[in-house]
Amino acid sequence: MTGSMKTISGHRGLMLEEPLIFEQGSPEKTAVDLPAPPSPSGGDRLGPVRRERPIGLPGLSEPEVVRHYLRLSQQNYSIDSGLFPLGSCTMKHNPRLNEKLARLPGLGDLHPLQPASTVQGALRLMHTLAHWLTTLTGLPAVAMSPAAGAHGELVGLMTIRAALEDRGDPRRRVLVPESAHGTNPATAAACGYAVQSVPGDARGRVDLEKLRAALSPDVAAVMVTNPNTCGLFENDVRLIAEAAHEVGAFFYCDGANFNAIVGRVRPGDLGIDCMHLNLHKTFSTPHGGGGPGSGPVVLSAALAPFAPVAFVAEENGRFRLVEHGMHADGKPVGRVKGFHGQFGMFVRALAYMMSMGADGLRQASGDAVLNANYILAELQGTFSAPFAGPCMHEALFDDRFLKDTGVSTLDLAKALIDEGFHPMTVYFPLVVHGAMLVEPTETESKRTLDRFIATMKGLAERALAGDEAFFRESPRLSPRRRLDETRAARKPVLRWRPPAETAPEPMETAGEEVGRAAE
Ligand SMILES: *Cc1c(COP(=O)(O)O)cnc(C)c1O
């Protein structure tokens, strides 16, 4: 390689401007040649059903189509292209073994309506996964069908509501700490409850006294994320459970952060009645654009009879799908998902668990916590941390260190893009000013962490040295630079409109019609 070539950024070469496929092809072209159909009668075989107007689909050759989608895929920063330090999201490596097993024809080619007698292996797989989940959490039952964490929360609160109504004791309020993930209050509101926020204390945890003061016999549930969204373990979790139970409320735990404590703590032992798990966070199934997720909910004995259908039961070594409740006297909340849930994710999660083993899972949670603490310790001298460490699986910083620099948390995140990293989570949790939440996961090597730490320190030093202009201009190397994020959210351009002269008759006019030029 010559010296001059070295100055050309390969990164940039992958970030070609890519027009829409509609702008590249043209409706009058086609990439396939079909022989003229034999027409026995000599007439037009399509007759009156022949299309009168072009439908406006672009014609391109096969290589053009392949290149278009490949280039688009290269614009997508992914967990396979680099460190994804998003906090709260647990962007974890997806082992290829999981993918291989999910594609086995005996699993990948199943039809969800096949008779149970022909899919005994698949049902056994779901039953085995359920066993792992109940064993790891120390809770007796699990509803497997929810499709994501938020869906799991909804199902959890639906079972709580059903259990309370069954007791003849419907209640009106759900208590949620102010540091909660946004899905928690949203779920409680969607279930018809009034949401009451509980303040945190100076240690970044739930303020136990304020929680106790807010409890009363019309509280249906207390929802707590543990480890919480500040990346800290709620040390008072047992006392929170006791306090909730004393007034007859259920204790819901948001288990999206379970990856920090797997194999070390069983939520059932902490007094938790109900908790969703994110297979796509804790157990390495793909998520984020690559979805779909899977959010099974583990349930206490009191909530199990209300679990949604369908689920797998075993009798004398045979497996069947139960469509009418977990017990003879079960009162299921109904069905929350088509068929049996995200079966492909079940395969991946179980492959991950069985290849790791219980000891491996325990080590993974330990390594995740170690990695986060390494980042916290290394960056603490330059960045400001709102709460004293050690942390759990994610390290939280605030923007006090940027005071008077003219540089914001957002500027720093944008500058990180040019350095080849996905930005960390910013401005969440809301309780911390200018928050930066970094979650490295156990799958990142020390070398990668060191590179990230050096980059973060370099940027911070640049900000402290007063190079405000540099940050204003970031990112420079991405295909899109600073977007008007408010406008992008309020007036998204969701529809491409063909140039007027070739416009076919519109088939539907749903959605806001904003031309691409408005970008
Ligand atoms: C990700 C997350 C959720 C929501 O899970 P989804 O699968 O995205 O619906 C809920 N709570 C916490 C703490 C999370 O990190």
Side-chain angles (χ1 to χ4, degrees):
M1 194 186 273
T2 69
S4 66
M5 276 183 77
K6 270 191 189 155
T7 62
I8 298 169
S9 157
H11 192 66
R12 217 172 206 171
L14 295 178
M15 292 295 190
L16 296 173
E17 184 61 46
E18 185 65 15
L20 297 177
I21 198 164
F22 290 92
E23 294 166 332
Q24 296 187 43
S26 65
E28 59 281 355
K29 266 201 225 141
T30 173
V32 284
D33 291 321
L34 296 176
S39 180
S41 62
D44 182 352
R45 286 208 315 167
L46 291 175
V49 297
R50 175 171 290 283
R51 190 176 285 139
E52 287 171 7
R53 281 181 294 270
I55 54 170
L57 288 180
L60 293 93
S61 71
E62 182 173 312
E64 283 172 328
V65 173
V66 170
R67 285 175 188 162
H68 172 68
Y69 286 108
L70 187 79
R71 285 198 199 118
L72 285 184
S73 78
Q74 288 170 330
Q75 291 186 348
N76 194 10
Y77 189 95
S78 74
I79 194 69
D80 290 335
S81 47
L83 173 70
F84 223 109
L86 281 181
S88 199
C89 295
T90 314
M91 298 301 294
K92 210 166 161 121
H93 170 58
N94 312 132
R96 293 305 182 266
L97 174 68
N98 302 353
E99 297 303 314
K100 191 172 171 184
L101 297 186
R103 283 166 177 72
L104 288 177
L107 296 171
D109 294 349
L110 292 181
H111 192 284
L113 290 177
Q114 269 177 249
S117 64
T118 68
V119 289
Q120 284 293 301
L123 296 180
R124 177 187 212 120
L125 186 151
M126 290 172 64
H127 198 257
T128 308
L129 176 59
H131 177 72
W132 275 81
L133 296 177
T134 52
T135 304
L136 287 169
T137 55
L139 280 152
V142 58
M144 298 290 287
S145 55
H151 196 200
E153 286 173 37
L154 183 67
V155 172
L157 276 208
M158 282 164 70
T159 61
I160 288 174
R161 192 177 60 189
L164 288 169
E165 282 171 2
D166 189 62
R167 280 191 203 156
D169 181 20
R171 294 169 173 226
R172 293 189 22 253
R173 280 188 303 142
V174 169
L175 304 189
V176 183
E178 63 182 8
S179 69
H181 194 270
T183 49
N184 294 186
T187 297
C191 264
Y193 290 109
V195 179
Q196 186 173 341
S197 180
V198 181
D201 63 14
R203 304 166 311 141
R205 271 95 171 171
V206 177
D207 187 319
L208 186 61
E209 286 321 309
K210 295 208 169 108
L211 177 91
R212 282 194 174 125
L215 279 167
S216 73
D218 80 331
V219 172
V222 175
M223 287 183 100
V224 172
T225 305
N226 195 18
N228 69 23
T229 56
C230 297
L232 302 168
F233 193 82
E234 291 286 353
N235 317 78
D236 292 333
V237 60
R238 275 207 167 106
L239 298 174
I240 295 172
E242 270 168 31
H245 292 155
E246 252 162 46
V247 298
F250 286 96
F251 185 24
Y252 185 98
C253 181
D254 178 329
N257 295 335
F258 190 47
N259 66 310
I261 53 174
V262 178
R264 288 159 195 274
V265 185
R266 298 192 315 164
D269 298 339
L270 302 177
I272 287 156
D273 299 300
C274 182
M275 179 174 106
H276 76 266
L277 296 160
N278 285 32
L279 299 189
H280 49 289
K281 291 182 182 172
T282 302
F283 298 112
S284 89
T285 73
H287 86 294
S294 183
V297 196
V298 286
L299 301 164
S300 67
L303 293 174
F306 305 94
V309 291
F311 52 86
V312 179
E314 181 190 4
E315 253 167 67
N316 307 321
R318 300 292 293 169
F319 298 90
R320 66 192 169 87
L321 267 183
V322 179
E323 301 276 356
H324 50 261
M326 202 162 271
H327 301 302
D329 60 347
K331 298 161 185 162
V333 293
R335 181 179 273 282
V336 297
K337 177 89 182 76
F339 306 116
H340 328 316
Q342 309 282 33
F343 182 72
M345 295 303 119
F346 299 159
V347 180
R348 288 169 174 87
L350 187 62
Y352 176 73
M353 291 173 173
M354 295 185 79
S355 58
M356 297 285 278
D359 288 345
L361 294 176
R362 187 183 150 81
Q363 189 188 336
S365 63
D367 290 351
V369 172
L370 180 65
N371 277 359
N373 277 289
Y374 182 59
I375 287 190
L376 181 63
E378 288 292 310
L379 289 183
Q380 218 160 14
T382 319
F383 287 64
S384 44
F387 306 115
C391 62
M392 295 300 287
H393 59 301
E394 49 195 356
L396 178 60
F397 303 98
D398 58 27
D399 63 0
R400 277 174 303 164
F401 77 104
L402 291 172
K403 193 170 180 292
D404 300 330
T405 60
V407 177
S408 68
T409 290
L410 184 70
D411 294 332
L412 211 108
K414 295 293 184 191
L416 206 49
I417 295 173
D418 281 344
E419 302 298 329
F421 289 106
H422 191 284
M424 60 286 185
T425 291
V426 292
Y427 301 108
F428 180 83
L430 301 175
V431 287
V432 168
H433 198 270
M436 299 171 217
L437 189 59
V438 180
E439 179 173 1
T441 79
E442 80 288 354
T443 43
E444 298 301 345
S445 67
K446 179 165 179 298
R447 191 156 55 143
T448 305
L449 298 184
D450 283 337
R451 218 165 59 76
F452 176 73
I453 289 163
T455 304
M456 288 282 277
K457 274 190 183 159
L459 290 174
E461 278 154 17
R462 197 157 191 166
L464 294 172
D467 197 350
E468 200 183 328
F470 168 83
F471 288 94
R472 270 299 105 71
E473 287 293 305
S474 300
R476 294 173 176 75
L477 302 175
S478 56
R480 290 287 174 278
R481 301 187 58 192
R482 287 284 176 118
L483 302 179
D484 181 340
E485 294 184 11
T486 310
R487 217 169 137 214
R490 295 229 171 111
K491 286 189 174 287
V493 180
L494 301 176
R495 185 171 171 211
W496 177 80
R497 285 158 64 80
E501 60 277 16
T502 58
E505 287 284 288
M507 294 191 40
E508 52 172 297
T509 49
E512 197 174 348
E513 298 193 18
V514 185
R516 190 160 191 256
E519 213 175 279

